[in-house]
Amino acid sequence: MTQPTFYITTAITYANSRPHIGHAYEEIATDVIARWKRVNGYDVYFATGSDEHSANVEARAKELGKSPREFCDEMAAIFQATWAALNISFDRFIRTSEEVHHHASQEMIRRAFAAGDIYKGHYEGWYCNSCNNYYQESDLKDGNCPQHGTKAVRLSEENYFFKLSRFAQPLLEWIGKRPEVILPETRRNEVVNVIKGGLKDISVSRTTSTWGIPFPDDPKHLIYVWFDALINYISAIGFPDDKAHFMKYWPAQVHVVGKDITRFHCIIWPAMLMSAGLPLPERVYGHGFLSLKGEKISKTRGNVLDPVEFSKQYGVDAFRYVLLAGNNFAADSDFSEEGFVELYNSDLANDMGNLLNRTLTMVEKYCQGKVPPPAAETSADDVPMLEEARALFDKFNAALELFDFSGAYAAVWSLIDRGNKYIESTAPWTLFKQGQTERLNTVLYNLLEILRLAAMFVYPIMPATTPRMLAQLGDSAPDRVLQFPMEARWGLLPVGQTTAKAAPLFPRIEKELAPGKVK
């Protein structure tokens, strides 16, 4: 049977500054989905990268006395090292300065020309160097960019234009046939309202810069950075030269982007693909913003957080878990060190860590460190727990299909919480004293099974924690265990398997946090 493919991407990041927690938020979320699909048998291709041709990148390089190429080389290395440190399992880091991307971008321009969708004209209006976007005067707020608050620049130059206006009806039909192509619903409604409000042709070239991709047959023009940047999704998989690789993975199953650029990905990008005669992506997910202690992340204000340095203090897996499980990915969310410590202690140290420690300690004490045999018949007291465990895969998978990370892990933690309550209600120490060996064995086996399932389901978000948990449960072949949904069934823990001594996975954090710790 042919292995199904799954192509997932993040937005590529401007190479003008170091990555911060907001960038990590999107990367980790995408990584969770990629890992989940892999363990469910998909041939996953996960692409991320750096957007290197913007005017602010060129300006930043000049400030530092470097060429744009030197500066972008340094920044690409920093981004890749950051994602490696956060255990991001990307397959391709695409840079828009790569030759393959230049070739792909020029091919897309040629195809748009051939389709009659590009013409030469004159642009006069407002432009923001921070987001590389053109604005009507009515869009500005006191003369400033509505997104960044920075002063918009008045431009007047000869440009090539893309006939975006002619794609309004095809775009509405695309969205109407499959509304879930844009998630969450609030983003879809925004996009539909923009389209219905009327689309204007957009500039796709500039003559005021020297850092970028030459326009085909007119090298005094450079391809406008937003047209160029969007093409990374197909250049990353070989368009137009490596046809086999491109056709294997395109169209993308999902583009994961911030809510501020959803319109580019749901209007301009599909219109470009329509013009080029290429299939459209199956889904665009526009996530909410992440703030720090209630304030917008801003380098200017100094309100940033280095995800690698933070993870060095508390652990990468803990950071990944709290960042996603503790927030609503669809909406705007807030992050603080105080909130991090609270969720870390409650979920990781108290709930999961406590269940693992108590269970392994009792198995060692009452069963000589061996997985005990459960009773052949199920007790009525155990039925609710078994039903919840058997429903976990479907609940978890359904939540992740909607990028509901907090919902997916709430289902896992519900089972963990049930395990902790099960210890209190069954009182294994009393069963031991009363000589109820069969019931004691069943209770301990059930607790070990809860922990095995928890170890499996935390893998996408905490990949380094899973093998540590499975090792304590005595499993020496974690790769075999990570086969969903077959191995995620109840009752597969081998009887007689030797467990390890309990060792804390997430020691409780005991510290006083000064107000305003996260800056």
Side-chain angles (χ1 to χ4, degrees):
M1 188 173 70
T2 304
Q3 187 180 18
T5 59
F6 189 85
Y7 181 35
I8 187 168
T9 70
T10 68
I12 55 175
T13 308
Y14 285 137
N16 63 319
S17 62
R18 299 178 68 90
H20 55 62
I21 191 173
H23 301 124
Y25 190 44
E26 181 171 301
E27 292 283 340
I28 295 170
T30 307
D31 185 63
V32 170
I33 300 298
R35 288 178 181 274
W36 177 241
K37 291 296 182 179
R38 287 193 192 105
V39 296
N40 278 280
Y42 286 80
D43 175 358
V44 173
Y45 202 80
F46 170 12
T48 187
S50 57
D51 183 0
E52 301 183 355
H53 290 140
S54 63
N56 49 9
V57 168
E58 189 174 12
R60 180 61 178 153
K62 187 175 181 180
E63 285 177 19
L64 298 173
K66 298 174 181 178
S67 70
R69 166 65 67 181
E70 289 172 330
F71 176 65
C72 288
D73 286 348
E74 291 176 7
M75 294 308 300
I78 290 171
F79 271 92
Q80 291 183 73
T82 298
W83 304 149
L86 296 179
N87 219 343
I88 306 299
S89 62
F90 61 85
D91 298 289
R92 177 74 159 97
F93 188 92
I94 181 70
R95 298 178 57 189
T96 57
S97 60
E98 292 180 39
E99 186 60 34
V100 65
H101 181 75
H102 284 216
H103 189 193
S105 299
Q106 291 171 332
E107 174 64 16
M108 288 292 283
I109 290 289
R110 291 190 183 97
R111 290 193 180 199
F113 258 121
D117 291 327
I118 287 186
Y119 62 92
K120 186 181 280 189
H122 186 84
Y123 176 79
E124 185 161 343
W126 299 96
Y127 180 80
C128 172
N129 284 313
S130 294
C131 58
N132 299 291
N133 195 11
Y134 294 94
Y135 288 101
Q136 298 296 315
E137 188 163 5
S138 58
D139 296 328
L140 303 179
K141 296 180 179 179
D142 298 323
N144 297 324
C145 169
Q147 289 290 340
H148 293 88
T150 52
K151 199 72 178 174
V153 178
R154 184 77 178 176
L155 289 183
S156 178
E157 60 181 13
E158 177 186 77
N159 281 177
Y160 284 95
F161 287 81
F162 176 67
K163 293 181 180 178
L164 184 64
S165 57
R166 88 169 184 88
F167 291 95
Q169 192 56 39
L171 287 169
L172 289 174
E173 290 174 2
W174 170 58
I175 297 168
K177 287 178 183 176
R178 285 184 62 244
E180 70 275 13
V181 74
I182 304 173
L183 290 177
E185 184 181 3
T186 52
R187 311 286 181 261
R188 180 170 67 248
N189 293 339
E190 290 168 4
V191 168
V192 169
N193 288 338
V194 169
I195 297 171
K196 289 182 176 179
L199 299 179
K200 293 181 168 54
D201 295 349
I202 59 169
S203 171
V204 293
S205 77
R206 296 197 65 189
T207 58
T208 56
S209 179
T210 58
W211 172 240
I213 302 173
F215 211 81
D217 305 316
D218 195 347
K220 77 173 184 178
H221 286 259
L222 295 179
I223 298 175
Y224 168 49
V225 64
W226 255 109
F227 197 94
D228 142 28
L230 289 163
I231 295 166
N232 91 87
Y233 302 122
I234 55 176
S235 65
I237 51 173
F239 178 84
D241 300 320
D242 190 346
K243 292 182 175 60
H245 197 256
F246 173 67
M247 291 176 67
K248 179 180 181 180
Y249 290 107
W250 191 258
Q253 274 59 60
V254 60
H255 295 315
V256 184
V257 302
K259 68 176 186 178
D260 57 329
I261 55 175
T262 308
R263 294 181 186 181
F264 290 96
H265 288 80
C266 299
I267 298 176
I268 298 176
W269 178 226
M272 290 165 59
L273 292 166
M274 289 177 186
S275 178
L278 295 174
L280 274 56
E282 294 182 8
R283 178 172 293 177
V284 177
Y285 192 97
H287 63 80
F289 286 155
L290 191 70
S291 59
L292 288 177
K293 294 184 73 70
E295 293 185 0
K296 182 179 179 180
I297 296 174
S298 169
K299 297 184 295 292
T300 305
R301 300 177 190 170
N303 188 43
V304 294
L305 184 148
D306 185 324
V308 174
E309 290 304 311
F310 192 88
S311 295
K312 285 179 181 177
Q313 182 178 2
Y314 293 113
V316 172
D317 273 14
F319 174 68
R320 288 169 59 104
Y321 175 80
V322 173
L323 191 62
L324 286 186
N327 291 305
N328 180 355
F329 197 61
D332 291 348
S333 300
D334 191 59
F335 184 90
S336 69
E337 190 172 14
E338 294 89 342
F340 173 90
V341 170
E342 182 179 355
L343 192 59
Y344 172 105
N345 282 337
S346 65
D347 282 18
L348 302 180
N350 294 354
D351 292 344
M352 188 168 72
N354 189 46
L355 180 63
L356 180 65
N357 186 282
R358 295 179 75 187
T359 300
L360 291 177
T361 298
M362 289 187 294
V363 170
E364 181 181 13
K365 182 176 181 180
Y366 304 140
C367 306
Q368 296 74 52
K370 303 285 187 182
V371 176
E377 294 185 5
T378 301
S379 167
D381 294 339
D382 301 339
V383 170
M385 175 187 61
L386 297 178
E387 290 179 343
E388 183 167 357
R390 287 166 180 156
L392 180 56
F393 178 86
D394 289 339
K395 286 182 180 179
F396 187 89
N397 187 59
L400 283 196
E401 283 294 314
L402 298 174
F403 285 71
D404 180 9
F405 301 101
S406 58
Y409 282 98
V412 178
W413 254 254
S414 176
L415 185 61
I416 290 172
D417 182 58
R418 186 178 289 276
N420 280 311
K421 291 176 179 176
Y422 184 65
I423 291 176
E424 301 307 319
S425 65
T426 59
W429 47 89
T430 300
L431 296 174
F432 178 75
K433 289 177 182 178
Q434 294 174 348
Q436 298 187 48
T437 304
E438 185 178 66
R439 180 58 180 158
L440 173 64
N441 288 344
T442 299
V443 167
L444 294 179
Y445 184 88
N446 289 343
L447 291 169
L448 289 168
E449 265 295 80
I450 288 175
L451 287 163
R452 183 183 70 88
L453 291 178
M456 291 181 66
F457 281 94
V458 300
Y459 170 76
I461 202 166
M462 295 192 290
T465 297
T466 296
R468 293 174 61 203
M469 287 185 69
L470 293 175
Q472 291 198 48
L473 298 176
D475 200 305
S476 58
D479 288 345
R480 175 190 60 78
V481 175
L482 292 177
Q483 295 174 16
F484 289 82
M486 184 59 65
E487 295 288 339
R489 292 176 298 142
W490 184 267
L492 299 185
L493 187 66
V495 171
Q497 182 169 281
T498 302
T499 60
K501 286 186 178 293
L505 289 175
F506 298 99
R508 184 175 175 81
I509 300 171
E510 304 288 357
K511 64 181 295 187
E512 290 292 329
L513 295 174
K517 179 72 174 180
V518 172
K519 292 294 184 184

